[in-house]
Amino acid sequence: MDVFTAIRSRRDIERFAEQIPPRDLVERLIDAAIWAPNHRLTEPWRFVVLAGAGREAMGDAIAASLAAEGKPEGAQRSARSKLLRAPVTVVVAQVATPEDATRDLEDYAACVMAVQNILLAAHAEGLIAHFSTGAMVEYEGAKSYIGLAPHDRIVGYVNLGYPRPEDPPKEGQRSAPVVRWDWT
Ligand SMILES: Cc1cc2nc3c(=O)[nH]c(=O)nc-3n(C[C@H](O)[C@H](O)[C@H](O)COP(=O)(O)O)c2cc1C
């Protein structure tokens, strides 16, 4: 698949078949991730791969932490179910540098590019992917479970798997780009 086709035909899809992608394929996706552009080669990314019972363990840890904080049971249930919706989840995290705001922003950008590499490589290999952020990136219980310091960030959760046979292909939609050309 050429790169333009991959970019245009990739879609975010959140319903997965049960089949688990092979581990060596997930390893190749993470290898694709680390070839993202990265100013000063700081390598700010960390990846945590969850599959099988590993998903439940992180869900339980987040739920326990939310319970200790007195958060409603609905939030605990939601955290657990979000980690069970795909057969494999790659948590992409950034080791942050609050003492250097410029580097911190560049490193965050590099991590987001790493995510896009995973999404495109997964698509090229016949997988589907759902990228998710929201409250799940903020939870202290999630950060501590994967060994992050409080000032580090979870960039997002890349859920991976195969499409369900009954689901129709998802259409993409984009508006015309807003471009100003000063090309004289
Ligand atoms: C930074 C970022 C955060 C996202 N977070 C979520 C999320 O929390 N939940 C969700 O359902 N989709 C999330 N998405 C996926 C977008 O909703 C999706 O990319 C968008 O609907 C466009 O669809 P497409 O990727 O198929 O073109 C996120 C995407 C990005 C880039």
Side-chain angles (χ1 to χ4, degrees):
M1 187 182 289
D2 77 83
V3 70
F4 284 94
T5 304
I7 288 167
R8 290 193 72 134
S9 60
R10 177 212 58 81
R11 294 278 69 81
D12 188 277
I13 298 170
E14 55 185 305
R15 296 193 195 288
F16 297 85
E18 283 181 14
Q19 188 189 351
I20 303 173
R23 183 177 164 139
D24 67 314
L25 174 50
V26 178
E27 284 170 4
R28 282 194 289 125
L29 301 182
I30 292 170
D31 183 63
I34 65 169
W35 287 98
N38 174 207
H39 195 199
R40 301 185 205 288
L41 296 182
T42 54
E43 302 186 351
W45 34 63
R46 298 291 181 273
F47 306 95
V48 177
V49 183
L50 307 169
R55 304 166 306 159
E56 283 160 46
M58 182 162 177
D60 288 347
I62 296 173
S65 157
L66 291 172
E69 291 168 15
K71 296 277 163 41
E73 270 187 33
Q76 301 169 39
R77 266 199 308 277
S78 165
R80 276 206 179 89
S81 73
K82 281 184 172 156
L83 285 167
L84 290 177
R85 63 180 159 194
V88 173
T89 296
V90 180
V91 190
V92 180
Q94 175 198 353
V95 176
T97 53
E99 71 285 0
D100 182 343
T102 302
R103 171 177 167 178
D104 201 43
L105 190 59
E106 289 175 346
D107 283 350
Y108 180 69
C111 288
V112 174
M113 290 181 173
V115 168
Q116 175 72 335
N117 279 7
I118 298 177
L119 300 180
L120 290 176
H123 176 52
E125 291 289 334
L127 297 183
I128 57 169
H130 170 61
F131 185 54
S132 167
T133 51
M136 289 285 285
V137 303
E138 306 286 351
Y139 291 147
E140 291 307 322
K143 289 190 197 180
S144 60
Y145 182 78
I146 61 171
L148 296 180
H151 61 256
D152 293 335
R153 301 192 171 86
I154 294 178
V155 175
Y157 296 75
V158 182
N159 296 300
L160 295 165
Y162 293 97
R164 303 188 309 177
E166 68 269 30
D167 288 341
K170 190 175 164 190
E171 298 295 326
Q173 196 189 339
R174 292 294 188 270
S175 309
V178 179
V179 186
R180 168 178 154 171
W181 296 74
D182 284 345
W183 186 352
T184 49

